Amino acid sequence: CLLRRRLLQQMQSQSKAPALGSMGLLEGRLLGILDPSSSQIHVLDVQQGGAVFGNWRLTVAGNPPKWIALAAGGNAFWALDGRSSSLWKFKLSVDPRVFPGSSGV
């Protein structure tokens, strides 16, 4: 897939190759890529040829998490905190560029 190849080349050039379990596809359109070093999800729009859709910092109250995995579904990205083994839901609002908040599951 051209998009996947372009994405991997871009991340490798920045020395940030995605780890296993660190990508999720939301609504068949938005590809989220977890960057654990910056606690961010980088989101590309696959229907627009992989154009950058947005970047979000994953923040939760309390101790800073160590994000180790990402999945997508139910209009939300789900991130796993390796320190506490907690699963966090980052739900998209009506405007999919805004994360209104997070909730632990």
Side-chain angles (χ1 to χ4, degrees):
C1 168
L2 180 62
L3 171 64
R4 180 186 228 172
R5 189 175 308 126
R6 183 190 318 162
L7 171 67
L8 292 174
Q9 287 171 345
Q10 178 183 6
M11 293 186 83
Q12 285 173 343
S13 71
Q14 299 171 1
S15 299
K16 292 184 177 182
L20 183 64
S22 65
M23 296 193 301
L25 186 63
L26 189 60
E27 305 292 322
R29 174 180 168 213
L30 302 176
L31 178 65
I33 303 129
L34 177 65
D35 180 354
S37 66
S38 65
S39 293
Q40 291 188 53
I41 298 176
H42 304 288
V43 181
L44 305 178
D45 188 332
V46 298
Q47 291 180 356
Q48 298 297 319
V52 174
F53 186 80
N55 297 298
W56 290 279
R57 182 168 306 282
L58 302 179
T59 58
V60 297
N63 291 331
K66 179 182 179 189
W67 303 115
I68 61 171
L70 181 74
N75 201 33
F77 285 107
W78 300 79
L80 180 62
D81 176 3
R83 288 196 175 111
S84 66
S85 298
S86 297
L87 184 62
W88 289 85
K89 179 181 181 181
F90 296 89
K91 188 168 176 71
L92 294 178
S93 68
V94 175
D95 180 350
R97 292 169 292 178
V98 178
F99 280 124
S102 60
S103 61
V105 177

